[in-house]
Structures are given as structure tokens and as C-alpha cells.
Amino acid sequence: MAKYIFVTGGVMSGIGKGVIAASIGKILQVRGLKVTAAKVDPYLNYDAGTMNPYIHGEVFVTEDGGETDMDIGTYERFLDINVPKSHNITTGQIYSSVIERERRGDFLGKCVQIIPHITDEIKGRLRNIAREDAGVVIVEIGGTVGDIESLPYLEAARQFRFDEGIGNVVNVHVTLVPMLDVVGEQKTKPTQHSVQELRRIGVQPDVIVARSKVPLKPEPRKKIALFCNVEESAVFTSQDIASIYESPLLLDEQGLGSYMVNRLQLSSKEPEWSPWKKMIKTHLGPENQVTIAVCGKYAELADCYVSVNEALRDAGATLNAKVDLEFIETDDFETDPSRVRVLSGFDGLLVPGGFGSRGSEGKIRAIEYARTHNIPFLGICFGFQLAVVEYARSLGMMDAASSELTSDSKNYVIDLMPEQNSVLEKGGTMRLGAHEISIDTESIAYSLYQKTKAWERHRHRYEVNPKYIPQLTSKGLRFSGKSDASRRMEILELPSNTFHFATQYHAEFKSRPGRPSPPYMGLVKSSLSKNLKLEPKQVMTRQ
Ligand code: GLN
């Protein structure tokens, strides 16, 4: 019988509900239980693919090509599992399948309603998840209690307890306990209100996780228990910590693990935290430091690049280095090209994925600067495409361009893929998900991956135009990774530089703490020691 843990949020958004949900999963996973996680997003979009990362955070791409909420990435990193796209449920998906069934006549003349039809569809999807991955399913409900949009999901959660039995469903409510600066008093009123709202809908939380700057003091803990109708031993704190990966340990130390095991009558073994603790150690207090410039469009908001950020951090932790990122707007390099010299103060440059022309010429300038000044460079997707454009221009093809960006070039070295003949329809129309990359043995790529085949995740419409490959590779540039029977160029490297490397895929989506992504390792390693040159030949003997 599957067990379900619903995680709802109160008081306000952005308090780290995703990390708490993932932490609960981890706490059970280290006890030998099979755990998976799902995110319910109450918005009407079908998926996160069409959403602006600036408002909603990064679009996380799953192995099976889903464009999902960034919390799915958090689950993957914490639980070290691939989460399929069916685990990111949105109101858009729920309604479209109910309406589709109504059009087919499946409801036999009945009036189709939110209760029971929408709620049944929600419950059905959650049960399907449990079926494919029996064990414990953590269900995080997006948004904050009190939102109109999340009502059907909370109603589904309420019904779930009846359907599945009280011993099989736990409700966790994550709230914020603010502190009055002057007196340092922890205020529980917002939590009380939030729980009142939840109970009005019919959901009684079993567990409260209070987000707070410092651990909850005994008095406010008692108050929360009393007013929210929760056992005192089921009130936990998640205080501010140095690394998010400490969060499961922190909650387990307070007894969350044993609470869940007892409450859900799970047969589990003693928790085995040592590999996780070892990983955290590498994340805390590294001895070296590098600063990487990240040229992205959404420079001000780190949430847009969570996976890139984490991939750099994973690589840094493995190499005993703290990776500081500085986000740089490239528009400046267009108005005043001399400004690109700021890059000389960095240990490395990363140009991440992106869309549209704003700042793209500036990014090309940044890549040129890195190439000609031998600054370690990693280009991801859009960054890969712009590296191709920049290199083509360096060969004298001055109007080299991507057809995504201009309409007046004769040399589109980056062009739409043949099957992508329409860019008018935006949702789910890109080349998505994991594809197999074949890696040349005598290459930097191989020295990083140490294997000739790798599965990496994609999200793009444009690619290297095969027509230009002979010209592009005539002066040293190499495409050392390819896919689709060598039809598509996936990895670019310039062996004459310390590290000038780019990938058409987004390697960051597969980086995990303790198991960093090879291209990110390459960037951090070469940034740590700009003199250290990765030699393709070194690795030849391994095959
Ligand atoms: N805009 C480019 C394309 O569609 C790159 C996309 C990306 O960086 N994810 O191909």
C-alpha cells in the first residue's frame, strides 16, 4: 500500500517548501524506503515551458523531456533519482484531460464538476505515480493556502485521507515564523492564521515545519501545537542554514524521521546518513575559491539559473573550491565594447541557455574575449550556439549569425532544425529531454566524461547548420560530441585554449551533489588553475 505525504505552504511563498518536501523524502530514503516526489502547480499553464523564468524561476527539463517546475530539480538533486514529467501536475493538464473526456462523452450525460471530476482526476494522477513507484509519494502543493487556484488540490488531499486511510496519509504544513528584530520574539500568529485557513477547507495538518531564522523556542513551539491542534513533538523548525543539503539532517535530528515512520507504520531500517554527511562536508568550507562570470539575460535573479548554480557548486565541492558567481548583463558590452575587459578579472566565463536577441551580441563579445585571452569558457545551449557564431566570425565570416537573432545574414551557421519549421507555436515544440551523445575518444570531452556515450538533456529549436561544418572545423575547432547518427553537433571544443568548451545540451540538469556534471567540472577545474590544460591525449590509454 502506497503512503502519501502532502506538503502545503502557508503565510507566504518562497520560504523553501520544495527543499522541505525533498528533505522529508531524503529522511525516508536513508531509511531504505523507496521514495518519489511530485509537484502540483495550481496555475493554468499546461507546463512551465512557456513561463518566463524571471517570474517563475528556471524551467527544469526532465529526462523524458518535460518542461517542469524548478522544484523537480530539487527533488532530483536530493533524492538522486530521475523524476518523470508526469510528476509535475498543473491545473492546465487536469482541466484539459477532463474537458477532453467530456467531449468524448465519457461522463454519460452527467454535469461535469470540480468535485468530483476535477478532484478525481487529481487523485487518479497521484495514484498513478504511486503505482509506478510504490513506496512513499511526497506531494508538494504549489502556492500558498488561501489561493483560490489551489482549492481543488487541497480538497483532493482532504478526500485522500478518507480514501486511503488515516495511516497512509500525512499532511505537513510549512509556515514562516517571523521574528521581531527589537525583542527577538518569534511570532506564531501568521502560522495560526494559515492553519485556520487550512482547517476551514477541511485539512488538519499533522506536522508543522516552521521556517525561522533561528530554532523555535519552547514557548512558541507550545503555542503552535496548542492553537494549531498538532502534537508538540510534531512541530519542527527549519532554521536558516549554510547549505540546503543540511536541511534533512536538521529535521531528522528533531525526530521527523521517526515521527513519519511511526505515523505511516513503515518498516524501515536505521538511517544511513554517512554518504550524505560526507557530501555536505565537501560543500561546507572549501579551501580554494574561483569567481566565474555568468552572462545571462536574467542576471538579477539567481532562481533563473538554479541548476547552473548547483552544477557549479557540485563541481566546486568535489574540487575543494567555493565557486562565486557574478552575473553580468551583456547589453553593456554592446554599447561600449571596451567594457568587456572586466572579464579579465574573472577565473572563468559561463554563457548559459537563453532566448532572443537582447544582449546576444554582447555575449558574443564576451566569448570572443574569453577565447582570445584564454579565459576558461563554458557555453550552454544558447552559449554553445553563440560560440559557433563567434568562431565563424573569427574565420572571416563577418555576417555569421543564428537565424533566431537576425533576418539579414547570408550565413546562418545556427539555424532551425529541419523539423522545427514553425516557431509560432511555443509550448512543448522544442527538441526536449535526454538524447544519446557519442563522444570522440581523443578529445577533451572524453577526458571529462571518460566514456564514449552519454545521455544529456536538451531544450532547443536551433542547432549547428551542417553546411558549415567543414569550414568551421578547418582551423582547429572540433565538434567532439554528436548525436542522431552524427547529424547534430552537440559538443564544441578548441584544443588550443586552456578550456574553450560548449554543449548544445544542458549538462546542469544531470548534475547531482557528489556526482557533478563533467562539463561543469571542466570549467571549474580549469578556472581553478588557468595554467592547467586539459590534454585530450592523456586519456587515450583508458579505452
Ligand atoms: N534559443 C536557442 C534555441 O532555441 C537556445 C535555447 C536554450 O538555450 N535553451 O535553440
Side-chain angles (χ1 to χ4, degrees):
M1 182 98 189
K3 309 283 178 173
Y4 300 85
I5 299 173
F6 286 91
V7 180
T8 52
V11 182
M12 64 183 209
S13 64
I15 57 173
K17 189 159 36 97
V19 169
I20 307 282
S23 299
I24 297 172
K26 192 78 215 171
I27 289 171
L28 297 174
Q29 198 185 46
V30 296
R31 288 174 160 77
L33 294 157
K34 188 131 197 305
V35 179
T36 193
K39 172 83 192 282
V40 162
D41 276 311
Y43 47 68
L44 283 165
N45 303 58
Y46 195 84
D47 60 28
T50 54
M51 283 199 284
N52 184 346
Y54 195 64
I55 299 161
H56 196 76
E58 149 190 291
V59 177
F60 185 81
V61 179
T62 58
E63 197 76 355
D64 61 352
E67 297 175 281
T68 64
D69 183 82
M70 64 182 206
D71 280 331
I72 301 289
T74 307
Y75 309 155
E76 288 207 349
R77 287 186 286 269
F78 271 73
L79 302 175
D80 199 5
I81 54 171
N82 286 339
V83 178
K85 62 180 168 190
S86 57
H87 291 214
N88 189 190
I89 299 168
T90 69
T91 300
Q93 293 165 20
I94 299 288
Y95 274 76
S96 44
S97 76
V98 171
I99 291 169
E100 202 178 294
R101 282 167 51 211
E102 185 274 333
R103 291 291 82 185
R104 268 203 321 253
D106 288 5
F107 295 108
L108 308 171
K110 282 201 195 97
C111 170
V112 181
Q113 293 178 299
I114 292 181
I115 305 171
H117 302 104
I118 294 293
T119 44
D120 279 354
E121 178 69 26
I122 296 168
K123 291 192 293 179
R125 285 183 184 228
L126 295 178
R127 287 198 180 100
N128 283 343
I129 290 173
R131 235 182 308 249
E132 86 204 22
D133 237 311
V136 185
V137 186
I138 318 273
V139 184
E140 180 190 348
I141 301 184
T144 312
V145 170
D147 298 344
I148 290 176
E149 290 175 328
S150 56
L151 281 175
Y153 296 100
L154 295 171
E155 170 60 15
R158 186 192 70 77
Q159 294 175 15
F160 232 77
R161 255 205 189 192
F162 283 98
D163 299 352
E164 304 291 320
I166 198 154
N168 298 317
V169 181
V170 173
N171 291 320
V172 177
H173 192 52
V174 183
T175 70
L176 178 75
V177 174
M179 201 150 82
L180 283 188
D181 277 346
V182 207
V183 276
E185 191 189 345
Q186 292 175 314
K187 306 301 283 183
T188 64
K189 198 59 140 205
T191 300
Q192 295 178 38
H193 277 300
S194 176
V195 171
Q196 264 169 27
E197 184 62 19
L198 201 56
R199 289 167 68 190
R200 200 179 59 79
I201 303 162
V203 176
Q204 166 65 49
D206 303 288
V207 170
I208 290 187
V209 178
R211 284 280 293 116
S212 173
K213 264 203 178 89
V214 295
L216 268 189
K217 292 186 190 124
E219 248 340 279
R221 179 188 299 269
K222 271 204 185 87
K223 241 174 154 174
I224 290 178
L226 181 67
F227 290 113
C228 301
N229 201 24
V230 169
E231 290 166 68
E232 214 179 303
S233 60
V235 181
F236 300 91
T237 326
S238 164
Q239 70 260 33
D240 292 352
I241 34 178
S243 160
I244 53 168
Y245 296 124
E246 288 176 279
S247 158
L249 284 168
L250 199 76
L251 291 169
D252 203 23
E253 277 160 17
Q254 298 171 59
L256 186 64
S258 30
Y259 175 89
M260 287 295 175
V261 167
N262 291 334
R263 174 67 177 69
L264 291 170
Q265 298 139 31
L266 295 162
S267 53
S268 66
K269 54 182 184 78
E270 278 301 296
E272 167 54 306
W273 280 115
S274 41
W276 190 254
K277 281 187 176 160
K278 220 166 112 195
M279 178 279 292
I280 292 176
K281 228 182 188 162
T282 63
H283 274 253
L284 297 172
E287 285 158 328
N288 306 309
Q289 190 267 343
V290 281
T291 311
I292 309 258
V294 179
C295 291
K297 182 147 95 178
Y298 307 114
E300 308 98 276
L301 199 71
D303 257 10
C304 303
Y305 301 108
V306 195
S307 293
V308 166
N309 221 326
E310 293 300 323
L312 287 169
R313 237 196 292 230
D314 295 341
T318 310
L319 296 164
N320 193 16
K322 178 170 181 286
V323 183
D324 287 325
L325 304 184
E326 209 166 297
F327 288 94
I328 294 190
E329 286 281 358
T330 47
D331 300 26
D332 286 358
F333 303 163
E334 293 174 13
T335 40
D336 179 1
S338 70
R339 292 222 181 133
V340 75
R341 274 189 242 131
V342 339
L343 293 177
S344 64
F346 290 91
D347 301 309
L349 167 71
L350 187 137
V351 179
F355 295 83
S357 58
R358 184 170 79 76
S360 62
E361 284 300 321
K363 286 180 193 168
I364 292 173
R365 287 220 164 101
I367 298 169
E368 181 192 19
Y369 190 87
R371 186 179 54 78
T372 53
H373 292 76
N374 202 19
I375 296 172
F377 159 73
L378 177 64
I380 300 290
C381 200
F382 198 46
F384 165 89
Q385 297 170 358
L386 296 180
V388 172
V389 171
E390 188 281 318
Y391 189 77
R393 290 185 189 171
S394 81
L395 296 177
M397 201 189 293
M398 296 321 286
D399 71 337
S402 161
S403 57
E404 178 183 3
L405 308 174
T406 58
S407 52
D408 59 1
S409 169
K410 287 203 178 59
N411 288 296
Y412 290 120
V413 289
I414 301 294
D415 209 350
L416 268 188
M417 290 179 269
E419 63 275 32
Q420 303 288 343
N421 41 23
S422 164
V423 282
L424 294 176
E425 201 174 311
K426 291 269 157 51
T429 56
M430 286 187 263
R431 177 175 181 241
L432 291 164
H435 295 269
E436 191 183 52
I437 319 287
S438 301
I439 298 167
D440 293 349
T441 44
E442 204 172 332
S443 66
I444 291 165
Y446 184 81
S447 77
L448 295 170
Y449 278 90
Q450 304 276 308
K451 55 186 180 189
T452 53
K453 301 273 181 217
W455 283 83
E456 294 281 12
R457 301 184 190 172
H458 298 72
R459 183 171 184 247
H460 66 121
R461 283 195 185 87
Y462 296 82
E463 67 177 353
V464 175
N465 184 342
K467 210 170 83 185
Y468 290 95
I469 292 171
Q471 220 173 325
L472 285 168
T473 52
S474 64
K475 294 260 161 54
L477 184 86
R478 292 186 57 190
F479 290 110
S480 52
K482 298 179 184 113
S483 64
D484 266 359
S486 296
R487 275 199 314 128
R488 298 183 202 275
M489 301 304 110
E490 296 276 4
I491 304 175
L492 153 170
E493 59 186 67
L494 195 60
S496 52
N497 273 38
T498 301
F499 188 72
H500 194 82
F501 193 90
T503 64
Q504 179 57 79
Y505 51 84
H506 293 263
E508 64 273 18
F509 293 136
K510 291 188 85 162
S511 181
R512 305 270 164 89
R515 202 149 43 76
S517 154
Y520 285 84
M521 278 294 276
L523 177 68
V524 177
K525 205 172 192 172
S526 47
S527 303
L528 260 172
S529 149
K530 285 198 213 162
N531 310 325
L532 179 92
K533 191 160 175 313
L534 293 171
E535 284 294 346
K537 287 198 191 65
Q538 277 171 5
V539 293
M540 269 308 286
T541 46
R542 284 188 60 99
Q543 265 276 308

